[in-house]
Amino acid sequence: MTGKIYIIGIGPGSSEYLTKKAIDTVKMSDYTVGSTRAIELFSDVQNTIPFNVKELLDTLEKGVQLAVDGNTVSILSTGDPGFSGVLNTVLRISDEKNFSKDNIEVIPGISSLQLAAAKCHIQWDNANVMTFHGRENIEDILPVINNGKITIALPSRKVKDMAQFLLDNGVEKDRKVTVCERLSYPDEKIVEASMDEIANSEFTYMCIILIYPQN
């Protein structure tokens, strides 16, 4: 019997941003793989396989193997699976296990980047969209930061560290920045300030940073 893998985007964090497709798919799955925070968004879920960051790869391999063995497996990905999500990792593991892409379905979700653009009234199809999750080479932001477009980024480190990096590389102290923190949660916070002020402020790791062109 051939199994099935669903890679499901669960949105920015609040259950309000789950799609009906995501909810229905988890309900009918034999197993659901995801972080504890992601799994808790669903009320009807069975045979859960939670993971933390350190266990991520091993747990995803276990989830794919369950599908190889003939089960229907939902793998939960924060935001949208194709943007700083688990899509590429699951596809690589599936290829290694000779599990056909024909039996993998991606269910997109709403990313925190989309929500940040909406909250800030930004038409984001003309923005520089960048993610630095899991990457240390944040210097990639430098060639685009002055191209006249808004830059919307998922930082890889503390927001203040990224702001300081930009200041150290010639970005103006008064450059306008918006930080969207813990979007969709009850303690959501949106802060608009200068680059210098952001470099001297503390934020949690769950942030989107928007950097505006210098006037």
Side-chain angles (χ1 to χ4, degrees), residues 181-209:
E181 182 179 25
R182 292 183 60 80
L183 287 173
S184 83
Y185 288 94
D187 57 346
E188 170 185 298
K189 184 168 62 175
I190 297 177
V191 176
E192 184 178 301
S194 68
M195 187 71 71
D196 188 49
E197 290 171 326
I198 296 300
N200 289 283
S201 302
E202 293 289 344
F203 298 93
T204 66
Y205 76 96
M206 295 177 64
C207 289
I208 303 292
I209 184 169

Side-chain angles (χ1 to χ4, degrees), residues 16-178:
E16 293 179 346
Y17 287 91
L18 288 174
T19 65
K20 184 176 185 301
K21 176 74 170 177
I23 295 169
D24 291 345
T25 302
V26 168
K27 284 182 181 179
M28 53 78 66
S29 295
D30 299 314
Y31 294 90
T32 299
V33 178
S35 67
T36 300
R37 179 169 64 93
I39 291 172
E40 287 175 347
L41 293 174
F42 297 87
S43 57
D44 294 318
V45 58
Q46 57 184 338
N47 297 325
T48 62
I49 306 175
F51 61 74
N52 57 40
V53 174
K54 293 181 179 179
E55 302 167 341
L56 175 59
L57 187 58
D58 289 342
T59 308
L60 291 179
E61 289 178 347
K62 181 177 180 180
V64 173
Q65 185 59 51
L66 285 168
V68 171
D69 295 339
N71 297 284
T72 298
V73 180
S74 284
I75 298 177
L76 308 181
S77 182
T78 303
D80 183 88
F83 191 80
S84 282
V86 301
L87 175 58
N88 282 342
T89 304
V90 174
L91 291 178
R92 177 180 58 77
I93 295 170
S94 299
D95 186 60
E96 291 171 354
K97 293 181 178 291
N98 296 315
F99 187 80
S100 174
K101 287 184 180 179
D102 293 340
N103 296 314
I104 299 174
E105 181 176 340
V106 180
I107 299 175
I110 299 171
S111 74
S112 55
L113 181 147
Q114 290 172 274
L115 186 53
K119 291 280 185 177
C120 297
H121 305 128
I122 290 171
Q123 184 79 20
W124 60 280
D125 56 0
N126 194 38
N128 303 311
V129 177
M130 308 187 75
T131 176
F132 296 95
H133 280 185
R135 296 168 54 190
E136 291 300 323
N137 55 332
I138 63 171
E139 64 272 10
D140 289 352
I141 199 173
L142 296 175
V144 303
I145 199 71
N146 292 315
N147 67 358
K149 299 179 180 180
I150 293 174
T151 298
I152 309 175
L154 288 168
S156 64
R157 56 182 77 173
K158 291 182 178 180
V159 169
K160 63 183 295 184
D161 292 343
M162 175 169 274
Q164 188 60 55
F165 170 81
L166 293 171
L167 290 171
D168 292 343
N169 283 273
V171 175
E172 303 84 357
K173 289 184 178 181
D174 63 347
R175 180 76 71 95
K176 178 183 171 183
V177 178
T178 300

